Amino acid sequence: MRGMTVRYQALRGTRDILPDEIAAWRFLENTTHEVFSRYGFRELRTPIFEATELFARSVGAATDIVRKEMYTFTAGDESVTLRPENTAPVVRAFVEHAFHRTIAAGFPERLYYLGPMFRYERPQKGRQRQFHQIGAELLGAPEPLADAETIEMAWSLLSALSIEDRELRLNTVGDTACRPRYRETLTRWLAPRLPALCEDCRRRAVENPLRVFDCKVEADRKLLEEAPDMAGSLCAPCAEHFDAVRAMLDGFKIAYVVDPRLVRGLDYYQRTVFEIVATGLGAQNALLGGGRYDGLVDELGGPAIPGFGFAAGMERLVMVMGKTAGVAVSSDVLLVGLGEIGFLASIGLARTLRARGLRVAMPLTERPLGAQMKRAERLGARFALFVGETELARGRFGLKNLTSGEQIEVDEAGIEAVVLAERNDHGR
Ligand code: HAM
């Protein structure tokens, strides 16, 4: 390979989050920590890879995620998978650390996470192979209020991010008592129509008929519009639960549309499922989605404990948050050393000011004044501080506000005072 020039690029479906974008990401992260903690959620960080089996068992062997989107590899003699989602890992951790011992009726465990997920999907706007999710999981709460309150929290997060063009879609997929009945009804309805459906749907019809609603083929979707709804097969407890959730959302004054075709692409859901979509984001417009997963904890080896949660795509949130959210962090002050003596003195001064919490920029070598002022502009520095022989002798320095152009004279303590006051005024 020697002598050949190779240009490396981030792999398809992955991207660098550049320094100029970080302000928005930090704003999103900080807002999430702030909003979720108000609802009593505690952060949990799980590894980014897990046993492949964990996802196959929970997300479901017939889902697109498990069938064709997982990054799975063998390490030693273990089959491991980069997490395509984080509900299963959270439940795995919940069971492993016996969190259920500390929950009590009415007081579920509330956990949340932020981090990268991996799905081998066809990349497009808003869809990547490495993407990031914010998620919240409530374990040990059978009450409809768990559903309504968690949806309300998701709604508040979007409000705090100033995302107003959104729509809440809601549905119920029944439970182990009534879903088999619906499955049968659907299978019967599908049977004569199978020849008209795509190959994937024909397979789904056999493996897990509800998955036909994941189909992206336009003609199939049209045909499936006529399919019977879950609503007609719901058992009384599921119907009551759904009515209660809706009544609470009405009480919270959160508008929603019931979408009978909303089944979500993961198998662990029971009863309530929901999505919030951004109106005007194009094809990949689901900002977040989730629902109830009452059978999952025991499926993964724990006690029979109900669950409810959701996850949001951070890239999509950043896209609709717009440019105003988040304040860029820039340098407070650029030290402009004048001449060799000034340059050498500014090295010590930079250390002192940094130790006091100021964000200080300075060149690593003596540079002409003009070059330094240009750099101050590039850095978005708020002040330039002139450090020359005369200034050092007098113990007073010229401090120029680069926004207003105004220049004042300050001593060392004054630098800190003026710069920090300006930072507080601007909230950064
Ligand atoms: P999900 O619907 O697969 O649910 O993903 C949740 C959100 O992650 C989506 O609404 C979307 O914003 C984002 N997302 C998913 N795939 C991609 C991708 N390839 N590129 C960019 N963003 C993406 C789950 O993952 C469940 N674990 C949610 C949950 C939590 N259910 C209960 N608790």
Side-chain angles (χ1 to χ4, degrees):
M1 288 306 255
R2 228 164 166 209
M4 259 178 73
T5 329
V6 186
R7 271 192 72 211
Y8 294 107
Q9 288 189 330
L11 293 177
R12 205 164 119 74
T14 71
R15 61 184 292 273
D16 303 309
I17 301 169
L18 298 171
D20 283 348
E21 302 169 73
I22 289 297
W25 281 78
R26 285 214 190 155
F27 177 74
L28 171 58
E29 288 157 8
N30 294 340
T31 308
T32 301
H33 294 303
E34 165 68 27
V35 172
F36 286 10
S37 65
R38 283 186 218 155
Y39 290 75
F41 280 77
R42 303 189 300 153
E43 187 181 355
L44 170 68
R45 302 185 186 192
T46 61
I48 60 165
F49 57 86
E50 299 267 357
T52 302
E53 170 69 15
L54 176 73
F55 300 110
R57 259 196 112 110
S58 53
V59 175
T63 58
D64 283 355
I65 294 181
V66 172
R67 286 193 62 251
K68 39 189 184 194
E69 294 170 6
M70 296 209 300
Y71 282 90
T72 298
F73 55 97
T74 311
D77 53 7
E78 272 180 322
S79 175
V80 300
T81 293
L82 299 184
R83 60 183 188 193
E85 63 98 53
N86 209 31
T87 306
V90 167
V91 171
R92 195 262 313 132
F94 176 88
V95 173
E96 182 171 338
H97 303 288
F99 274 26
H100 53 271
R101 294 216 191 108
T102 53
I103 60 177
F107 293 97
E109 181 65 57
R110 296 162 192 258
L111 300 166
Y112 78 97
Y113 49 86
L114 296 90
M117 307 291 155
F118 307 85
R119 294 183 193 175
Y120 189 74
E121 295 193 84
R122 197 172 49 76
Q124 63 181 88
K125 184 172 177 246
R127 195 207 274 153
Q128 293 177 198
R129 291 178 172 170
Q130 174 174 337
F131 60 100
H132 298 76
Q133 279 186 346
I134 287 167
E137 313 289 350
L138 206 93
L139 290 142
E143 301 87 354
L145 181 57
D147 312 30
E149 195 188 74
T150 311
I151 294 174
E152 193 258 319
M153 180 173 83
W155 196 255
S156 308
L157 176 66
L158 298 185
S159 302
L161 298 169
S162 311
I163 300 173
E164 302 296 343
D165 297 332
R166 57 193 161 168
E167 184 178 279
L168 168 61
R169 297 188 182 152
L170 200 65
N171 192 24
T172 174
V173 292
D175 66 4
T176 48
C178 55
R179 195 154 53 203
R181 209 160 50 210
Y182 175 59
R183 222 186 225 253
E184 258 172 50
T185 312
L186 186 62
T187 307
R188 236 177 294 126
W189 184 88
L190 283 170
R193 293 168 178 85
L194 286 181
L197 292 169
C198 74
E199 200 186 318
D200 260 352
C201 279
R202 291 203 292 272
R203 179 188 47 77
R204 289 170 177 134
V206 179
E207 288 178 6
N208 186 350
L210 256 82
R211 296 268 69 93
V212 295
F213 297 114
D214 297 340
C215 187
K216 312 269 183 325
V217 179
E218 202 45 53
D220 288 19
R221 294 179 75 99
K222 215 156 170 67
L223 201 144
L224 290 167
E225 275 172 21
E226 307 294 320
D229 290 350
M230 181 71 219
S233 306
L234 281 187
C235 62
C238 280
E240 263 167 44
H241 187 93
F242 196 46
D243 288 346
V245 173
R246 292 168 56 178
M248 284 167 190
L249 288 173
D250 292 340
F252 292 156
K253 303 223 170 340
I254 296 180
Y256 55 82
V257 280
V258 175
D259 176 357
R261 290 290 167 266
L262 181 67
V263 291
R264 313 260 311 122
L266 307 97
D267 277 354
Y268 48 61
Y269 293 113
Q270 286 191 22
R271 298 195 166 172
T272 318
V273 289
F274 76 104
E275 274 181 9
I276 299 179
V277 299
T279 39
L281 193 64
Q284 301 303 316
N285 65 352
L287 293 176
L288 57 88
R292 178 164 281 284
Y293 48 90
D294 289 354
L296 186 58
V297 183
D298 37 331
E299 178 66 35
L300 295 180
I305 278 176
F308 187 91
F310 70 88
M314 295 178 72
E315 281 77 5
R316 295 185 194 176
L317 294 178
V318 167
M319 254 189 256
V320 289
M321 266 161 48
K323 299 211 162 33
T324 47
V327 183
V329 175
S330 56
S331 295
D332 292 316
V333 54
L334 175 81
L335 300 196
V336 182
L338 305 168
E340 195 188 346
I341 291 176
F343 173 70
L344 292 176
S346 63
I347 300 170
L349 190 55
R351 288 195 65 202
T352 310
L353 294 176
R354 284 173 177 150
R356 292 187 188 150
L358 266 61
R359 301 182 196 117
V360 178
M362 64 166 286
L364 296 176
T365 186
E366 203 188 319
R367 301 284 293 138
L369 178 65
Q372 297 209 53
M373 295 312 285
K374 255 199 210 124
R375 179 51 56 165
E377 207 175 301
R378 266 293 315 271
L379 291 170
R382 330 214 66 195
F383 291 94
L385 183 82
F386 301 103
V387 187
E389 223 178 322
T390 343
E391 284 83 357
L392 288 164
R394 292 179 48 219
R396 294 186 71 76
F397 307 88
L399 182 67
K400 183 169 181 176
N401 184 323
L402 295 173
T403 319
S404 65
E406 183 198 1
Q407 184 165 328
I408 54 170
E409 261 200 4
V410 285
D411 59 10
E412 216 182 286
I415 304 171
E416 199 183 329
V418 174
V419 170
L420 290 182
E422 166 82 12
R423 200 204 277 178
N424 288 340
D425 277 357
H426 288 79
R428 60 175 179 175

